Amino acid sequence: MVKMVEYEDASDEVRAVYEDIMAARKTDWVNNFWKALATHPDTLKRTWKAVKEIMSAGALDPLTKELIYLAVSVTNNCDYCIHSHAAAARKKGMTDEMYAEFLDVVGLANSANRLANGYGVPVDEAFRRF
Amino acid sequence: MVKMVEYEDASDEVRAVYEDIMAARKTDWVNNFWKALATHPDTLKRTWKAVKEIMSAGALDPLTKELIYLAVSVTNNCDYCIHSHAAAARKKGMTDEMYAEFLDVVGLANSANRLANGYGVPVDEAFRRF
Amino acid sequence: MVKMVEYEDASDEVRAVYEDIMAARKTDWVNNFWKALATHPDTLKRTWKAVKEIMSAGALDPLTKELIYLAVSVTNNCDYCIHSHAAAARKKGMTDEMYAEFLDVVGLANSANRLANGYGVPVDEAFRRF
Amino acid sequence: MVKMVEYEDASDEVRAVYEDIMAARKTDWVNNFWKALATHPDTLKRTWKAVKEIMSAGALDPLTKELIYLAVSVTNNCDYCIHSHAAAARKKGMTDEMYAEFLDVVGLANSANRLANGYGVPVDEAFRRF
Amino acid sequence: MVKMVEYEDASDEVRAVYEDIMAARKTDWVNNFWKALATHPDTLKRTWKAVKEIMSAGALDPLTKELIYLAVSVTNNCDYCIHSHAAAARKKGMTDEMYAEFLDVVGLANSANRLANGYGVPVDEAFRRF
Amino acid sequence: MVKMVEYEDASDEVRAVYEDIMAARKTDWVNNFWKALATHPDTLKRTWKAVKEIMSAGALDPLTKELIYLAVSVTNNCDYCIHSHAAAARKKGMTDEMYAEFLDVVGLANSANRLANGYGVPVDEAFRRF
């Protein structure tokens, strides 16, 4: 849909983000997602800033965050996102066994969500906090 | 949509599952999801068996599994499932801070999934394993 | 979101559709969906025409069509549509047992869809027709 | 995302499931979905058991169940699942005319779900059973 | 999944729709969507009639309508629909800058929808009209 | 799910965002979405910043952006988001007629997306730009 922006053709503004991505990830290349977003530098900068803030260690560790991200991407069937974040999760320690268990949970939740919808299950009082 | 099956009115087959649920969770009550599924005992038994196998500790710990489950439920907007599994996650140690970070990741992934769709980003060769 | 159009307040154009709905369904009332659409008569007329053509007997019988309709509505979690089309399906012969089996299939498919996404399963050549 | 398990390379545990799949379907091959799941034998066994129980004849006939399954898969845009279950449905008698009518219903429901959402239509009292 | 109907092979009924599509769009070809629907002429005619009525100028201009259509298609990840309606939107004046801003909004809404779901935000009284 | 943060109870950091929201919208109150996000000030600040940047006038006007936002929210069935952004759109000039046409397009796209999925329509060469 768009012509991706390669490093050689990038403006200084875009290059600065590319440099920051490579530094943060300790790699010497930038993946296609960012090269597509670079066609609109504001989107590139805002999205990268959000990714840096949100996906880094906090109360949750980075691998757990990758699995949460992947659960969304598998549910929505975003092929690019599944590939890129499965790679990121593996880099952070995800094994084949962990991925298989992860998919079991994603499948179960997608199924149980529809059983709850279809049976019209009312929320238990004990589950309401406020 | 269905009349839920209370313990007093349950068949022996259904009561056996209710007992197992309460034992596994160390509680003295059963939440509405199971009482709705009990209208079709095969569904009750199959679903409870899957939950026990899939949600227990393995290569991933139980809290991480709850967060994965919640990520699906929030993405699909299943109100019952959000309430019941947020309660389950809290019981397993999820704090308000963890839930807030969790939602940041879910929001980010749902957004980035659409940026990838809309820009038609091709999967990088480096992300393909086989 | 909108003020529904009651029969008493309806234009002749809208009343004609209401009459046709009641005649087709052999009832003396019109459900809220149509009263909401009646705020924009073109939408009312187009949608009712499509429902009449699509949901009536053809190569598939009307009950099977209601179940297909319900499978979409449960997957999308449309509460109104689940209630109205479960009622329609019951009128056409759906039993509690059939609804339970229906939900088992809907749950299974929603789960298996994500296993296929997450494992990135390639389509078998034998499943391609052309 | 995973290296699929061919029959020749499969463990006895996996082969037993493959044999059961081929016997149940009266074929001499196993489709890719199962070969991907076989990388995690528990998932393979649980899923195949669920498919056998849920998709076989009961209060609903097998072809109706395939159409319900397909309605979910088309709504979720699972390309693998559409191909594999359209093939299964054809084997059970689905004609081109039936598939076209099926898609008309799936399209209509996906449209009407959003009209109900957007107009905020309240559920009619007559549609509430309990 | 189906063998598309080329103009040369089309019935008079189908050709009439093709002619109308080409006339309305001032082109000399018909895109694949219509050639697939032509396998079931009732679907072709009903869908084309709806597109003509709904997508033409009214209280909203045609480009705004294309952007609304695209927002749905990007959210649902319908690759065909994204390509065909991005092309239609460009023909009606959509620039690269507009498409980038459009995707920013689609991403933001998909994210905020989940924050609202996950935090269980109650609707403000001021937002209820009736 | 969370206890919303009222202005009186808010920290200076949160109050500053509330002031900015009220100033930008020329109102004297803050809607529940922000009061829920305020339980995690980083999320509040990041989201408000994104909304301000993305939803303001650019190559697309603010009302068109609200309609794009609404198309996502209706498709995802986010009740809170439909109510809050329909109110925002009305403030920016959306009439009942415009909303009705908007919903016609959203319904049509959700339907056509599934026809494209189910028929497996290949993308026309003419729709590929690069």
Side-chain angles (χ1 to χ4, degrees):
Chain A
M1 300 291 293
V2 292
K3 194 168 178 321
M4 295 190 289
V5 180
E6 298 300 330
Y7 186 91
E8 306 70 84
D9 309 317
S11 66
D12 288 352
E13 182 185 26
V14 165
R15 279 191 184 186
V17 179
Y18 285 6
E19 296 287 355
D20 199 38
I21 292 171
M22 291 187 287
R25 297 183 168 177
K26 303 189 205 324
T27 57
D28 60 355
W29 63 291
V30 168
N31 56 303
N32 290 339
F33 182 69
W34 305 110
K35 292 189 201 165
L37 263 52
T39 54
H40 195 242
D42 283 352
T43 305
L44 176 70
K45 286 184 288 182
R46 188 189 308 109
T47 307
W48 170 241
K49 191 168 179 297
V51 166
K52 266 208 301 190
E53 287 175 19
I54 291 174
M55 299 303 286
S56 60
L60 297 173
D61 65 277
L63 177 52
T64 300
K65 289 183 172 184
E66 289 293 345
L67 293 171
I68 293 164
Y69 198 110
L70 272 168
V72 173
S73 304
V74 170
T75 297
N76 288 336
N77 195 12
C78 176
D79 194 47
Y80 184 83
C81 312
I82 296 171
H83 276 86
S84 58
H85 284 270
R90 287 185 194 283
K91 229 169 136 177
K92 290 172 184 160
M94 184 179 76
T95 62
D96 283 354
E97 178 67 19
M98 288 164 79
Y99 192 63
E101 290 190 9
F102 156 82
L103 283 178
D104 278 349
V105 178
V106 170
L108 176 66
N110 271 293
S111 169
N113 281 194
R114 273 60 184 213
L115 294 178
N117 294 347
Y119 281 114
V121 187
V123 176
D124 304 75
E125 273 315 303
F127 292 156
R128 298 194 179 279
R129 290 184 84 210
F130 300 101
Chain B
M1 300 290 294
V2 292
K3 195 170 175 321
M4 295 190 289
V5 180
E6 298 299 330
Y7 186 91
E8 305 72 82
D9 308 318
S11 65
D12 288 352
E13 183 184 25
V14 165
R15 278 190 185 186
V17 179
Y18 284 6
E19 296 287 355
D20 199 39
I21 292 171
M22 291 186 287
R25 296 182 169 178
K26 303 189 203 328
T27 57
D28 60 355
W29 63 290
V30 167
N31 57 302
N32 289 340
F33 182 70
W34 305 110
K35 292 188 200 167
L37 265 51
T39 55
H40 196 242
D42 283 353
T43 306
L44 176 70
K45 286 185 288 184
R46 188 190 307 110
T47 307
W48 171 241
K49 191 169 179 297
V51 166
K52 266 209 301 191
E53 287 175 19
I54 291 173
M55 299 303 286
S56 59
L60 297 174
D61 64 277
L63 177 52
T64 300
K65 290 184 171 184
E66 289 294 346
L67 293 171
I68 294 164
Y69 198 111
L70 272 169
V72 173
S73 304
V74 170
T75 297
N76 288 333
N77 195 12
C78 176
D79 193 49
Y80 184 83
C81 313
I82 296 171
H83 275 86
S84 59
H85 284 270
R90 286 184 194 284
K91 229 170 135 177
K92 289 172 185 160
M94 183 179 76
T95 61
D96 283 355
E97 178 68 18
M98 288 164 78
Y99 191 63
E101 289 190 8
F102 156 82
L103 283 178
D104 278 349
V105 178
V106 170
L108 177 66
N110 270 292
S111 168
N113 282 193
R114 273 61 183 213
L115 294 178
N117 294 347
Y119 281 113
V121 187
V123 177
D124 304 75
E125 272 316 301
F127 293 156
R128 299 195 179 279
R129 290 184 83 211
F130 299 100
Chain C
M1 301 291 293
V2 292
K3 196 171 176 318
M4 295 190 289
V5 180
E6 298 299 330
Y7 186 91
E8 307 67 87
D9 309 317
S11 65
D12 287 353
E13 184 185 24
V14 166
R15 280 190 184 184
V17 179
Y18 284 7
E19 296 287 354
D20 198 37
I21 291 171
M22 291 187 285
R25 297 182 169 179
K26 302 188 205 326
T27 57
D28 60 355
W29 63 289
V30 168
N31 56 303
N32 289 339
F33 182 69
W34 305 109
K35 292 187 200 167
L37 264 52
T39 55
H40 196 242
D42 282 352
T43 306
L44 176 71
K45 285 185 288 182
R46 188 189 308 109
T47 307
W48 169 241
K49 191 168 179 296
V51 166
K52 267 209 301 191
E53 286 176 19
I54 291 174
M55 298 303 286
S56 59
L60 297 173
D61 65 277
L63 177 52
T64 299
K65 289 183 172 184
E66 289 293 346
L67 293 171
I68 294 164
Y69 198 111
L70 273 169
V72 173
S73 304
V74 170
T75 296
N76 288 334
N77 194 12
C78 176
D79 194 48
Y80 185 83
C81 313
I82 296 172
H83 276 87
S84 59
H85 284 270
R90 287 184 194 284
K91 229 171 136 177
K92 288 172 186 161
M94 184 180 75
T95 62
D96 283 354
E97 178 67 19
M98 289 164 77
Y99 191 64
E101 289 189 9
F102 157 81
L103 283 178
D104 278 349
V105 178
V106 169
L108 176 66
N110 271 292
S111 169
N113 282 193
R114 273 61 182 213
L115 294 178
N117 294 347
Y119 280 112
V121 187
V123 176
D124 304 76
E125 272 316 302
F127 293 155
R128 300 195 179 279
R129 292 185 82 211
F130 299 100
Chain D
M1 300 290 294
V2 293
K3 194 168 176 323
M4 295 191 289
V5 181
E6 298 299 330
Y7 186 91
E8 314 56 275
D9 309 317
S11 65
D12 288 352
E13 182 185 25
V14 165
R15 279 191 186 186
V17 179
Y18 284 6
E19 296 287 355
D20 199 38
I21 291 171
M22 290 188 287
R25 297 184 168 177
K26 304 188 203 326
T27 57
D28 59 356
W29 64 289
V30 167
N31 56 302
N32 289 339
F33 182 70
W34 305 110
K35 292 189 201 167
L37 264 51
T39 55
H40 196 243
D42 283 352
T43 305
L44 176 70
K45 284 185 289 182
R46 187 189 310 110
T47 308
W48 170 240
K49 190 168 180 297
V51 165
K52 265 209 302 191
E53 286 175 21
I54 291 172
M55 298 304 287
S56 59
L60 297 173
D61 64 278
L63 177 52
T64 299
K65 289 182 172 185
E66 289 294 346
L67 293 171
I68 294 164
Y69 197 110
L70 272 169
V72 172
S73 304
V74 170
T75 297
N76 288 334
N77 195 12
C78 176
D79 194 47
Y80 185 83
C81 312
I82 296 171
H83 276 87
S84 59
H85 285 270
R90 287 184 194 284
K91 229 170 135 177
K92 289 173 185 160
M94 183 180 76
T95 62
D96 282 355
E97 177 68 19
M98 288 164 77
Y99 191 64
E101 289 190 8
F102 157 82
L103 283 177
D104 278 348
V105 178
V106 169
L108 176 66
N110 270 294
S111 168
N113 282 194
R114 273 62 184 212
L115 294 178
N117 293 347
Y119 281 114
V121 187
V123 176
D124 304 76
E125 273 315 303
F127 293 156
R128 298 195 181 278
R129 290 185 84 209
F130 299 100
Chain E
M1 300 290 294
V2 293
K3 194 167 178 324
M4 294 190 289
V5 180
E6 299 299 331
Y7 186 91
E8 308 66 86
D9 309 315
S11 66
D12 288 352
E13 182 184 24
V14 165
R15 279 191 184 185
V17 178
Y18 285 5
E19 297 287 356
D20 198 38
I21 292 171
M22 292 187 286
R25 296 182 167 178
K26 303 189 203 329
T27 57
D28 60 355
W29 63 290
V30 167
N31 57 302
N32 290 340
F33 181 70
W34 305 109
K35 292 188 201 166
L37 263 54
T39 55
H40 195 243
D42 283 352
T43 306
L44 176 70
K45 286 185 288 182
R46 188 189 309 108
T47 308
W48 171 241
K49 191 168 179 297
V51 166
K52 266 208 301 191
E53 286 175 20
I54 291 173
M55 298 303 286
S56 59
L60 298 173
D61 65 279
L63 177 52
T64 299
K65 289 183 172 185
E66 288 295 346
L67 293 171
I68 293 165
Y69 197 110
L70 272 169
V72 172
S73 304
V74 170
T75 296
N76 289 334
N77 195 12
C78 176
D79 194 48
Y80 184 83
C81 312
I82 296 171
H83 276 86
S84 58
H85 284 270
R90 287 185 194 283
K91 228 169 137 178
K92 290 173 184 160
M94 184 179 75
T95 62
D96 283 354
E97 178 68 18
M98 289 164 77
Y99 191 63
E101 290 191 8
F102 156 82
L103 283 177
D104 278 349
V105 178
V106 170
L108 176 66
N110 271 292
S111 169
N113 282 194
R114 274 61 184 211
L115 295 178
N117 293 347
Y119 281 114
V121 187
V123 176
D124 304 75
E125 272 316 303
F127 293 155
R128 298 195 180 279
R129 289 185 83 211
F130 299 101
Chain F
M1 300 291 294
V2 293
K3 194 168 176 322
M4 295 190 289
V5 180
E6 298 298 330
Y7 186 91
E8 314 56 277
D9 309 316
S11 65
D12 287 352
E13 183 185 24
V14 166
R15 278 191 186 185
V17 179
Y18 284 7
E19 297 287 355
D20 199 38
I21 292 172
M22 291 187 287
R25 296 181 169 179
K26 303 187 204 329
T27 57
D28 59 356
W29 64 289
V30 168
N31 56 303
N32 290 339
F33 182 69
W34 305 109
K35 292 188 201 168
L37 264 52
T39 56
H40 196 241
D42 283 352
T43 306
L44 176 70
K45 285 185 288 182
R46 189 189 308 109
T47 308
W48 171 242
K49 191 168 180 295
V51 166
K52 266 208 301 191
E53 287 175 20
I54 292 173
M55 299 302 286
S56 59
L60 297 173
D61 65 278
L63 177 52
T64 299
K65 289 184 171 184
E66 290 293 346
L67 293 171
I68 293 164
Y69 198 111
L70 273 169
V72 173
S73 304
V74 170
T75 296
N76 288 333
N77 195 12
C78 176
D79 194 48
Y80 184 82
C81 313
I82 297 172
H83 276 87
S84 58
H85 284 270
R90 286 183 195 286
K91 230 170 134 178
K92 289 173 185 160
M94 183 180 75
T95 62
D96 284 354
E97 178 68 19
M98 287 164 78
Y99 191 63
E101 289 189 8
F102 157 82
L103 284 177
D104 278 349
V105 178
V106 169
L108 177 66
N110 271 292
S111 168
N113 281 194
R114 273 62 183 213
L115 295 178
N117 293 347
Y119 281 114
V121 186
V123 176
D124 305 75
E125 273 315 304
F127 293 156
R128 299 194 181 278
R129 290 184 85 209
F130 299 102

